């Protein structure tokens, strides 16, 4: 039987769509004025527009996915389906009972405080399911792990970014400039208003609203991002984790003004995934298009997260990384830079390193002097051969 136009199931999404559109237009006008003065705010406006355009189709009453959304994997042509309820993932392995169970467990891990005695119970159960799926050696179960872990990693990354943004809402931003401080605060007020009214509408419609994370939980979420990345690598999904972390440019920018403990947690994630990115790029076999894609991902990793490494290597109470770990990561970054092959790309990365390395006098790491010298020598030789 066809639903009439005036039925609640049709009107509610339309009301939500109209309200969110009005809020978005209001927020965009505020950002547009500020973006004319600061290039970083132009990027933030672009991210907001992109997010809204991806959300809008899901608010169409005729959409089959209703309030779900579908994300295209940057590595493959597969689609990872997620929903606001966290109870399961559509498509492929997510439609199975084991897929829905694992998806629910990973969603609950995000929501339980780490101080709760139930946190370790739920996390251990999720880890047990992931490991058992992998040990079975079944293609179907590997697909379950891939899809559910990928969706959980993306969700946790989004929550981590929100937690860091909420914590730094009244901060003066990375530049330390007074005018930038006022504009940064204005942007955050706009975003908070959009989130508040959006949550209120979703609550009235009976939709589950994800909790807003306090600053103290940013460390917890960063630890969960690292844990999920480790599980993805163990299950053969390293490329997916590396690509998503490399693409988290806004989180990388926010991290420069985050608290030292949060910075330390993000350094640990970056250190782990830098190693995976280097190993992926070192593969001798594969299609040229895939090698090019991996090279671009390595470039994004370096440009996004190298500034944080220059700033946050010391830690507060103890070093974030041990002396051995820091030396190893320096070798990893040197290898990754030299894998770029193109002289211009190496110049961009090394120029960025030199800027941030000299900007923070309290840190003497990462020490890429040898890599910088080799690049200078190679440039000199090329010029002489011309």
């Amino acid at each position: 039987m066809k639903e009439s136009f005036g039925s609640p199931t049709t009107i509610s999404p339309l009301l939500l769509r109209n309200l969110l559109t009005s809020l978005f237009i209001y927020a965009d006008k505020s950002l547009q004025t500020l973006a004319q003065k600061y290039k970083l705010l132009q990027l933030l406006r672009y991210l907001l527009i992109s997010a809204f355009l991806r959300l809008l189709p899901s608010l169409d009453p005729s959409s089959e996915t209703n309030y779900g959304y579908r994300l295209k994997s940057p590595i493959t042509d597969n689609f990872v389906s997620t929903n606001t309820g966290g109870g399961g993932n559509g498509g492929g392995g997510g439609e199975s009972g084991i897929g829905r169970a694992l998806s629910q467990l990973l969603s609950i891990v995000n929501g339980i405080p780490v101080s709760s005695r139930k946190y370790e119970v739920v996390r251990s159960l999720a880890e047990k399911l992931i490991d058992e799926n992998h040990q079975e050696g079944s293609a179907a179960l590997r697909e379950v792990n891939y899809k559910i872990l990928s969706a959980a990693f993306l969700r946790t990354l989004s929550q981590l970014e929100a937690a860091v943004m909420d914590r730094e809402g009244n901060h003066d931003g990375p530049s330390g400039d007074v005018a930038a401080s006022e504009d940064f605060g204005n942007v955050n007020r706009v975003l908070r208003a959009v989130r508040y009214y959006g949550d209120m509408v979703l609550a009235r419609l009976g939709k589950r609203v994800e909790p807003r994370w306090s600053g103290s939980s940013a460390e917890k979420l960063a630890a969960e991002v690292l844990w999920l990345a480790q599980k993805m690598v163990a299950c053969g999904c390293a490329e997916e984790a590396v690509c998503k972390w490399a693409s988290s440019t806004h989180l990388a920018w926010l991290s420069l003004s985050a608290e030292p403990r949060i910075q330390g947690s993000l350094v640990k994630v970056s250190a782990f995934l830098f190693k995976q990115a280097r190993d992926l790029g070192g593969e001798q076999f594969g299609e040229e298009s895939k090698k090019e894609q991996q090279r671009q991902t390595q470039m994004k990793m370096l440009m996004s997260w190298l500034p944080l490494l220059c700033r946050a290597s010391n830690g507060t109470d103890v070093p974030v990384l041990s002396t051995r770990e820091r030396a190893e990561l320096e070798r990893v970054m040197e290898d990754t830079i030299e894998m770029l092959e193109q002289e211009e790309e190496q110049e961009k990365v090394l120029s960025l390193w030199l800027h941030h390395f000299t900007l923070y006098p309290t840190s003497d790491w990462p020490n890429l002097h040898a890599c910088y010298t080799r690049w200078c020598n190679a440039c000199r030789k090329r010029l002489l051969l011309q």
Side-chain angles (χ1 to χ4, degrees):
M1 184 181 213
K2 281 191 173 181
E3 294 176 348
S4 65
F5 179 78
S7 66
T9 56
T10 304
I11 291 178
S12 295
L14 287 173
L15 288 175
L16 177 60
R17 183 189 179 109
N18 290 340
L19 179 57
L20 290 183
T21 301
S22 300
L23 287 170
F24 173 78
I25 292 171
Y26 167 74
D28 184 55
K29 284 182 179 178
S30 301
L31 277 179
Q32 188 174 18
T33 302
L34 297 173
Q36 293 173 358
K37 297 166 61 179
Y38 300 102
K39 289 186 178 180
L40 285 173
L41 292 179
Q42 292 176 7
L43 173 63
L44 180 59
R45 179 171 177 255
Y46 169 76
L47 292 172
L48 184 62
I49 292 172
S50 300
F52 180 75
L53 291 177
R54 291 174 70 182
L55 174 66
L56 200 60
S58 69
L59 301 179
D60 186 348
S62 64
S63 172
E64 292 180 1
T65 56
N66 198 9
Y67 282 89
Y69 54 90
R70 294 172 68 82
L71 298 171
K72 188 173 183 179
S73 165
I75 302 299
T76 68
D77 290 332
N78 294 330
F79 283 85
V80 179
S81 305
T82 63
N83 56 47
T84 56
N89 286 50
E95 294 177 348
S96 66
I98 191 67
R100 289 191 295 272
L102 182 55
S103 179
Q104 183 181 26
L105 285 168
L106 292 176
S107 180
I108 291 172
V109 166
N110 289 152
I112 297 181
V114 73
S115 57
S116 170
R117 62 184 178 82
K118 296 181 180 178
Y119 177 80
E120 281 301 326
V121 174
V122 176
R123 179 162 153 169
S124 296
L125 182 54
E127 189 158 14
K128 183 172 181 288
L129 289 183
I130 294 168
D131 292 344
E132 289 176 347
N133 285 350
H134 183 64
Q135 290 164 6
E136 285 290 334
S138 162
L141 289 174
R142 282 199 300 268
E143 184 73 2
V144 168
N145 276 357
Y146 170 82
K147 290 192 173 184
I148 304 303
L149 283 171
S150 180
F153 188 81
L154 188 64
R155 181 182 63 244
T156 309
L157 262 183
S158 176
Q159 292 173 351
L160 174 58
E161 184 175 318
V164 176
M165 181 180 288
D166 285 346
R167 184 69 174 179
E168 302 304 314
N170 297 317
H171 200 276
D172 62 356
S175 66
D177 179 62
V178 175
S181 171
E182 294 177 357
D183 289 341
F184 193 75
N186 290 336
V187 170
N188 267 277
R189 279 191 287 274
V190 170
L191 294 176
R192 285 169 186 267
V194 171
R195 286 206 303 262
Y196 173 78
Y197 288 109
D199 288 351
M200 184 173 65
V201 171
L202 289 173
R204 284 183 171 273
L205 293 173
K207 302 294 178 182
R208 177 180 171 182
V209 179
E210 294 289 344
R212 298 297 170 202
W213 304 99
S214 64
S216 61
S217 69
E219 286 181 78
K220 169 185 179 288
L221 290 167
E224 287 167 4
V225 166
L226 177 57
W227 172 66
L228 287 167
Q230 290 168 340
K231 301 312 295 183
M232 291 176 76
V233 170
C235 293
C237 312
E239 196 168 3
E240 183 79 356
V242 168
C243 189
K244 281 180 166 56
W245 187 251
S247 300
S248 301
T249 53
H250 190 218
L251 175 60
W253 176 72
L254 289 171
S255 71
L256 297 180
S257 60
E259 290 184 352
R261 289 186 181 278
I262 297 174
Q263 287 182 333
S265 298
L266 296 175
V267 166
K268 291 177 182 178
V269 181
S270 297
F272 176 73
L273 290 175
F274 262 116
K275 295 173 188 174
Q276 308 308 318
R278 189 271 308 269
D279 294 343
L280 288 170
E283 294 176 356
Q284 298 297 318
F285 304 99
E287 298 177 1
E288 285 300 319
S289 60
K290 182 151 188 172
K291 288 182 179 179
E292 174 65 16
Q293 197 172 46
Q294 289 171 344
R295 186 192 60 77
Q296 291 176 5
T297 299
Q298 289 174 330
M299 183 69 177
K300 285 197 291 185
M301 277 282 288
L302 289 163
M303 296 299 290
S304 296
W305 293 103
L306 187 53
L308 175 65
L309 299 186
C310 293
R311 183 182 180 103
S313 61
N314 289 330
T316 50
D317 303 326
V318 294
V320 175
L321 302 174
S322 68
T323 303
R324 182 185 61 79
E325 289 172 330
R326 289 197 288 175
E328 181 185 1
L329 189 53
E330 282 178 346
R331 291 192 296 271
V332 167
M333 284 188 287
E334 287 183 349
D335 292 344
T336 305
I337 291 170
E338 290 171 359
M339 282 178 186
L340 294 176
E341 296 180 354
Q342 294 184 19
E343 183 180 307
E344 295 79 8
E345 290 183 338
Q346 292 183 7
E347 180 181 1
K348 285 181 182 179
V349 173
L350 289 169
S351 177
L352 181 72
W353 163 76
L354 187 61
H355 170 74
H356 287 278
F357 183 77
T358 55
L359 186 63
Y360 305 118
T362 58
S363 172
D364 58 357
W365 181 85
N367 185 345
L368 302 180
H369 288 91
C371 186
Y372 188 83
T373 301
R374 287 194 296 272
W375 174 79
C376 288
N377 290 338
C379 290
R380 186 183 298 112
K381 287 179 181 178
R382 287 192 186 94
L383 181 60
L384 292 174
L385 289 172
Q386 288 179 357

